[in-house]
Amino acid sequence: MDPIAKPGTGHLARFGFTDNERTEAMAGPDGLRLWDPVARRPADDDAADVLDALYFAADPDLALFQLSRLAEAAGAEVLAEVRRDKALRRRLIGVLGVSATLGDLLVANPDEWRELLGEQNRRPAGYSTRDVSGVPLLRSGYRRELLRIVAADLTGAADVEVTMRRLTELADATLQAALDIAVAEQGSGACTLAVIAMGKCGGRELNYVSDVDVVFVAEPDGGADTETAMRAGSALAARMMEICGYVAWPVDAALRPEGSRGALVRTVASHLAYYRKWAKTWEFQALLKARPAAGDLALGERWLAELQPLIWSAAERPEAVDEVRAMRRRIVDAIPRAEVDREIKRGPGGLRDIEFAVQLLQLVHGRADESLRTPSTLAGLRALIEGGYVGLADGEALLRAYRFLRVVEHRLQLQRLRRTHTVPDDPAGLRWLAHALGFRPNAARDAVESFRSEWVRHAGEVRRLHAKLFYRPLLEAVARVPTEQLRLTPDAARARLDLLGFADPVGALRHIQALTGGVSRTASIQRQLLPVLLSEFADAPEPDRGLLAYRQVSERAGNTPWYLRLLRDEGPVALRLARLLALSRYVTELLVHDPEALRLLADDAELVPRTAEVLTEGFAAAAARHGDPETAINAVRALRRRELFRIACADLLGLLEVTAVGDALSAVTDATLRATLGVTAAGVPLEFTIIGMGRLGGHETSYPSDADVLFVYEPPPGMADDAASAAALTIAEDLRRLLSRPAHDPPLGVDADLRPEGRQGPLVRSLGAYQQYYARWSKVWEAQALLRARVVAGSAPLGARFLELADAKRYPSGGLAKEQIHEIRRLKARVDSERLPRGADPATHTKLGRGGLADVEWTVQLLQLQHGYAVPALRTPRTLRALAAATEATLIAPPDAAALEAAWRQASRARNLLTLIRGRATDQLPRQGPDLAAVASVLAPSAEPQEFLDEYLRVARRARQTVERIFGVA
């Protein structure tokens, strides 16, 4: 009969039947006598129990039809037992309602229903080969045992794991019985033969309808030569396969060396020769499930033992991880497009996703951890969970999904005892499957909707976790570590530390022992991570620094449940962390005081600097949550620290171009000043603005930069000048104090030395005072300083009025007078001779050296002062934009502009990197040593440090020549 098509009507519909008239005929007085059509109710209490059992069948109509046929074939006894025996009733009706094929077999063999009597789970597994001395007996014995397994499965007496194990035991017994029959027919010949189970049979997770994958191993016996033995073994193997195909299922030997083209039977030595020289990664992956199943088990165990070293070194192949991943993609690509979303085995979110993830983790980590060496998917997954390779929640989700999907697969195959893994797409087929899985309609949804919801949930989890585990970047890194170095025993670790170039192997070993000691889950995960991290630290100029920093961060964050899980599971976090800690004291210090920031490394999107608007809003909101000024600004500084970490990591990882770093750092400083001004100026009836100067004004802030500013205020009408000045001074002094006070968060120095009269002048001035000063006293260097002036915080209207004032000074009509140009050149010469620190190398000083930042910036600023009044595009605080505008206006030749830009970018990056590497401000690029190597590893990863230095000097010399020609420095 067809699967249930739609809910029925009539009095029998409540029992799940779809055809009231037909059902009454079969269940009524002229049939099974279960239904009283006159009273429209069950014939008696026993009949009611039978009808209730029929309701819970996958297809009640089919179950009733097959029960009627069976009663006709087997006689009244079967009906009497069904009425009397509750256990038999559930088993028999479950079988009859789920599988038309099994029902037909029972009808054709009417005495076999008795196999379902009694205690099912106490029966011995499989069957004795003494009782199956011929093929027909073997076939009937197989069928009877299969019937018992199905009944236990459908009634919940055996869960899916027990069912898979019993099916595998049945397969093993069938293989052995078939081999015994072949030997009885042909004689044992001149060989001993072992049958190796592979695939699902090898993993003890066989389903109802599947090929049984095997490999045959034979050895000469009784003095026979190898050729004769192999002929005999091949004949036995071929006959065994033929018998199994007739009895139960096809036997597939295609996983043998060379596949279907290779010899059916090989010796142990022949297998070893093949796997040593020719085998692909997928063949070793297949061997993960190899298990002696029949024949000479001792020979099978010897074969497997000989192969173990080859299996567990396969992941060391450079291409191994990629090959396993490529194989999974090919499997998905081979699914017909119309079926891909319904394939519970091969499709995305299906069984293969779980199996491939588990197997890849086994191949990579099982080299050093023998607890992972199991052929069973579920046992392997549990071992991965226990060993800390898979998170508890993730692992449990995969276990649940695997069990659910295998049950779905089993039900699909039972219907016709056909090999299928595709969920039907027709309504009737879906309803049958939902019922077969135990889903029933309720007030909220029908059975199909309930099934779909469960299926979609599990498939979604599998897709997510497969991607997370299968494409974990750490896998490639672990696979690159030689097997003997994965075991962090003291001797192995010490030898590896020497090999990797650690300067203090004894100290490094102490760090490793502190991190990995004990039997805790934390120590277990650290033992997985450290072999890989040590390799990453070794790629840095100072490996010891990276390991020490890692221990510091781990001891600060290691007890939090998310920390090691993040390193193990989340994308590139572990490898990125290793690189950052080995390179940067600055990043290490930030992270030690803010371990939560580590989460940013999981996603490139999290390393994108926040916009000025987002930062301003977030910093202001943090300050507003606290009434006390110090607490409020502590919250602002904590946010600033997190943003500095974000920018520094993105910079070191090559995700930010140098001008983007300057923009990002300037935006953070702007937001910090705005939030702090909002606290210190709260409630003060005064217009107050902060003007950014220097690198802050030019959006070119570097990591060591203070915030160069001017403080400007305007008293409201009616406020005395003295009172307004005092209020403005308090605002500015409180702002500077709150941002520089000692704390875990990096201080922000607020430098107002570019104000009129420098340090001798008032810290704050009114706009009118600035107007008076600039009109009467200002010098040309102050006009040069104002080139970078922009409003960063406070009153925008007041800031705009200040910039109008600044424009008159920085873009003077007609440009500069000759004496002013001479003064700028004199000042530049003085800077070159007096401000370069004693002992500094002028060739490699990034700020004041030849071809350094000052050279480029003073040259560009001279052009702005001379021509800004006539070329509007020059009116920008940004160095490179002004240089581009000067080039566009033909004030500088393109080759010269390119030389200046290259030098400015290189010096800016090197200066930033030196700060990140050393953890403190420095402008001197060393000519040798680990700091030079660290800078080179970021700026020129393919070059040797000396090659990088030579290129730095070449670029700087060219820029200096351009400066001398344009700026006029002799």
Side-chain angles (χ1 to χ4, degrees):
M1 295 182 64
D2 290 334
I4 54 176
K6 58 183 177 180
T9 58
H11 301 292
L12 283 161
R14 69 179 185 271
F15 296 104
F17 301 111
T18 62
D19 187 334
N20 195 68
E21 183 177 343
R22 188 168 182 271
T23 302
E24 280 193 0
M26 284 189 292
D30 296 329
L32 298 175
R33 298 179 183 178
L34 300 174
W35 183 253
D36 183 342
V38 177
R40 296 178 179 175
R41 65 185 182 190
D44 52 46
D45 290 344
D46 288 343
D49 290 341
V50 175
L51 289 170
D52 284 338
L54 286 163
Y55 170 77
F56 286 102
D59 186 342
D61 292 298
L62 175 63
L64 180 63
F65 174 68
Q66 296 285 45
L67 182 60
S68 176
R69 293 179 65 211
L70 181 61
E72 190 175 319
E77 183 184 0
V78 67
L79 283 178
E81 288 297 328
V82 166
R83 282 172 168 269
R84 183 189 66 79
D85 188 332
K86 179 180 178 181
L88 172 67
R89 179 167 62 242
R90 293 182 64 225
R91 294 167 189 158
L92 183 57
I93 289 176
V95 170
L96 295 175
V98 81
S99 175
T101 303
L102 284 174
D104 290 345
L105 288 171
L106 278 171
V107 172
N109 300 275
D111 288 336
E112 291 190 359
W113 65 270
R114 299 177 191 280
E115 296 293 328
L116 303 181
L117 287 166
E119 177 55 57
Q120 298 291 298
N121 287 341
R122 292 183 182 173
R123 293 176 185 264
Y127 40 76
S128 170
T129 57
R130 293 191 303 271
D131 302 327
V132 291
S133 56
V135 174
L137 287 176
L138 177 57
R139 186 177 186 184
S140 61
Y142 175 85
R143 187 176 63 240
R144 289 194 300 272
E145 181 64 17
L146 180 65
L147 181 64
R148 290 195 291 268
I149 294 171
V150 173
D153 178 10
L154 294 175
T155 57
D159 66 15
V160 68
E161 293 187 57
V162 172
T163 300
M164 291 189 298
R165 188 184 70 243
R166 290 184 65 182
L167 287 167
T168 304
E169 290 168 349
L170 178 57
D172 287 357
T174 304
L175 290 169
Q176 185 62 57
L179 182 57
D180 290 345
I181 293 171
V183 169
E185 292 174 349
Q186 301 179 8
S188 60
C191 74
T192 56
L193 183 68
V195 183
I196 309 297
M198 304 285 283
K200 281 186 168 59
C201 188
R204 294 187 174 89
E205 51 202 19
L206 207 59
N207 48 26
Y208 284 112
V209 185
S210 173
D211 292 352
V212 170
D213 296 309
V214 300
V215 168
F216 294 104
V217 185
E219 290 291 342
D221 191 27
D225 61 82
T226 300
E227 184 178 348
T228 301
M230 293 307 101
R231 280 201 303 269
S234 295
L236 284 175
R239 178 57 179 154
M240 189 206 81
M241 294 170 69
E242 181 183 17
I243 293 168
C244 288
Y246 175 76
V247 167
W249 18 249
V251 173
D252 189 344
L255 291 177
R256 67 187 185 269
E258 300 181 84
S260 58
R261 300 186 305 276
L264 182 60
V265 176
R266 287 177 183 249
T267 63
V268 173
S270 177
H271 276 100
L272 287 171
Y274 174 82
Y275 283 110
R276 284 174 178 148
K277 190 172 183 180
W278 304 108
K280 304 288 194 301
T281 301
W282 71 264
E283 293 178 278
F284 291 108
Q285 182 184 353
L287 287 174
L288 291 175
K289 291 188 171 295
R291 175 183 62 82
D296 188 331
L297 298 182
L299 174 59
E301 292 291 353
R302 179 163 72 87
W303 172 87
L304 189 57
E306 295 274 4
L307 283 175
Q308 291 300 297
L310 301 179
I311 297 171
W312 300 110
S313 63
E316 293 182 7
R317 299 175 170 203
E319 70 283 357
V321 173
D322 285 341
E323 285 182 347
V324 175
R325 289 169 174 168
M327 174 64 74
R328 176 66 189 120
R329 289 192 293 271
R330 285 196 294 272
I331 290 172
V332 174
D333 292 342
I335 305 170
R337 184 168 299 181
E339 297 178 6
V340 69
D341 292 331
R342 297 186 288 118
E343 249 274 6
I344 61 165
K345 178 181 178 181
R346 297 178 297 163
L351 290 162
R352 280 287 187 266
D353 271 356
I354 302 173
E355 292 165 352
F356 265 69
V358 170
Q359 289 163 18
L360 182 55
L361 290 173
Q362 285 179 296
L363 277 173
V364 171
H365 296 294
R367 295 177 296 150
D369 188 344
E370 294 185 7
S371 71
L372 304 181
R373 299 180 183 183
T374 171
S376 163
T377 299
L378 290 176
L381 182 51
R382 291 189 180 105
L384 288 165
I385 297 168
E386 180 67 25
Y389 302 94
V390 175
L392 288 170
D394 292 348
E396 288 297 326
L398 288 175
L399 288 169
R400 288 191 298 270
Y402 186 86
R403 287 191 289 261
F404 173 82
L405 293 169
R406 289 307 302 269
V407 173
V408 174
E409 182 183 44
H410 284 181
R411 297 299 179 270
L412 286 169
Q413 294 182 345
L414 278 176
Q415 187 177 22
R416 301 284 182 188
L417 283 187
R418 292 177 182 167
R419 183 178 182 180
T420 180
H421 318 283
T422 306
V423 173
D425 55 358
D426 61 292
L430 280 169
R431 272 193 289 274
W432 176 88
L433 178 58
H435 282 230
L437 290 165
F439 292 98
R440 290 296 181 273
N442 56 42
R445 57 178 61 172
D446 65 25
V448 171
E449 289 172 334
S450 296
F451 160 65
R452 279 192 179 280
S453 174
E454 191 80 353
W455 178 29
V456 166
R457 181 174 66 83
H458 283 302
E461 278 285 83
V462 171
R463 282 194 298 271
R464 179 181 69 82
L465 294 173
H466 172 77
K468 178 179 178 179
L469 298 174
F470 197 61
Y471 293 99
R472 183 186 281 174
L474 205 60
L475 283 173
E476 294 102 316
V478 175
R480 287 194 296 268
V481 179
T483 299
E484 65 275 7
Q485 296 180 16
L486 286 175
R487 300 180 178 92
L488 286 174
T489 61
D491 289 343
R494 188 178 296 110
R496 183 155 193 243
L497 292 169
D498 283 327
L499 183 68
L500 292 176
F502 280 76
D504 181 12
V506 175
L509 187 60
R510 284 198 299 270
H511 297 321
I512 293 172
Q513 291 169 336
L515 290 165
T516 62
V519 295
S520 68
R521 190 173 179 82
T522 294
S524 176
I525 298 175
Q526 288 283 22
R527 285 192 289 272
Q528 298 169 40
L529 293 169
L530 272 165
V532 173
L533 299 181
L534 291 175
S535 295
E536 295 298 314
F537 296 146
D539 287 339
E542 294 182 289
D544 302 76
R545 176 200 293 182
L547 181 56
L548 172 61
Y550 179 70
R551 180 179 176 183
Q552 292 171 338
V553 172
S554 292
E555 288 180 344
R556 183 67 185 268
N559 292 327
T560 57
W562 57 266
Y563 169 64
L564 290 176
R565 186 168 65 241
L566 183 74
L567 296 187
R568 179 194 62 201
D569 294 343
E570 295 299 327
V573 175
L575 301 182
R576 284 178 166 180
L577 177 65
R579 174 167 174 76
L580 293 168
L581 294 181
L583 279 176
S584 175
R585 289 188 176 95
Y586 185 93
V587 166
T588 301
E589 184 68 19
L590 291 174
L591 193 55
V592 164
H593 292 109
D594 184 15
E596 285 276 347
L598 184 63
R599 298 180 188 274
L600 299 180
L601 299 182
D603 186 353
D604 284 359
E606 289 295 327
L607 293 176
V608 175
R610 299 305 182 240
T611 64
E613 294 74 18
V614 169
L615 291 172
T616 296
E617 182 179 344
F619 283 30
R625 286 193 286 268
H626 305 279
D628 172 61
E630 290 192 356
T631 305
I633 301 311
N634 284 344
V636 171
R637 289 178 61 176
L639 288 180
R640 176 175 177 265
R641 174 189 57 206
R642 175 68 61 88
E643 296 307 316
L644 291 176
F645 178 82
R646 187 195 312 275
I647 297 164
C649 291
D651 190 1
L652 286 166
L653 294 171
L655 302 177
L656 287 183
E657 193 266 336
V658 66
T659 57
V661 173
D663 280 335
L665 292 170
S666 300
V668 171
T669 301
D670 290 358
T672 304
L673 292 172
R674 289 165 189 163
T676 308
L677 181 60
V679 171
T680 63
V684 180
L686 193 72
E687 256 198 300
F688 193 98
T689 193
I690 300 176
I691 304 297
M693 302 287 283
R695 300 205 169 278
L696 174 61
H699 298 277
E700 295 160 2
T701 302
S702 59
Y703 296 103
S705 294
D706 288 340
D708 290 317
V709 300
L710 301 177
F711 295 114
V712 186
Y713 73 93
E714 278 280 69
M719 177 180 279
D721 288 345
D722 288 349
S725 177
L729 181 62
T730 299
I731 291 170
E733 287 180 335
D734 285 350
L735 181 143
R736 298 176 77 190
R737 176 182 60 81
L738 290 170
L739 290 177
S740 62
R741 60 190 291 271
H744 288 314
D745 307 303
L748 175 61
V750 180
D751 188 341
D753 288 355
L754 291 177
R755 66 187 183 267
E757 302 178 81
R759 294 180 181 179
Q760 284 70 47
L763 181 63
V764 295
R765 288 178 185 250
S766 68
L767 181 62
Y770 277 103
Q771 288 172 328
Q772 291 179 6
Y773 176 84
Y774 286 132
R776 299 180 60 186
W777 308 106
S778 71
K779 298 182 172 57
V780 69
W781 72 264
E782 291 175 294
Q784 183 180 354
L786 285 172
L787 287 170
R788 292 186 168 192
R790 67 177 177 87
V791 180
V792 300
S795 170
L798 176 59
R801 294 196 295 275
F802 178 87
L803 293 184
E804 288 180 11
L805 168 64
D807 283 349
K809 299 298 297 178
R810 57 186 175 179
Y811 310 126
S813 179
L816 295 176
K818 287 184 179 180
E819 59 272 16
Q820 290 175 310
I821 295 174
H822 179 73
E823 176 65 11
I824 290 175
R825 288 174 174 163
R826 187 185 66 80
L827 287 172
K828 178 65 170 66
R830 182 178 173 187
V831 166
D832 287 349
S833 63
E834 297 180 7
R835 294 189 59 188
L836 192 69
R838 179 172 303 199
D841 183 348
T844 56
H845 197 277
T846 59
K847 183 177 180 181
L848 300 173
R850 294 190 290 270
L853 294 174
D855 268 0
V856 178
E857 290 165 358
W858 280 64
T859 301
V860 172
Q861 289 162 13
L862 179 58
L863 294 173
Q864 288 180 286
L865 289 167
Q866 286 180 297
H867 305 282
Y869 75 97
V871 182
L874 285 171
R875 302 171 196 170
T876 172
R878 298 174 184 261
T879 300
L880 294 187
R881 285 189 186 176
L883 181 58
T887 309
E888 180 69 21
T890 67
L891 300 175
I892 184 172
D896 290 338
L900 295 179
E901 179 176 349
W904 187 91
R905 287 180 180 276
Q906 125 174 319
S908 296
R909 285 225 69 189
R911 187 171 188 247
N912 278 340
L913 286 171
L914 286 167
T915 299
L916 293 176
I917 291 162
R918 293 183 174 179
R920 55 183 173 80
T922 182
D923 294 314
Q924 184 67 65
L925 180 67
R927 285 184 175 264
Q928 59 186 2
D931 289 347
L932 173 65
V935 173
S937 71
V938 177
L939 291 183
S942 61
E944 292 295 321
Q946 194 58 48
E947 291 178 295
F948 162 75
L949 181 63
D950 290 345
E951 177 64 12
Y952 182 95
L953 293 171
R954 186 191 69 78
V955 171
R957 281 196 301 271
R958 185 179 175 195
R960 179 67 174 193
Q961 292 166 0
T962 301
V963 169
E964 290 175 346
R965 186 168 58 257
I966 296 173
F967 194 82
V969 176

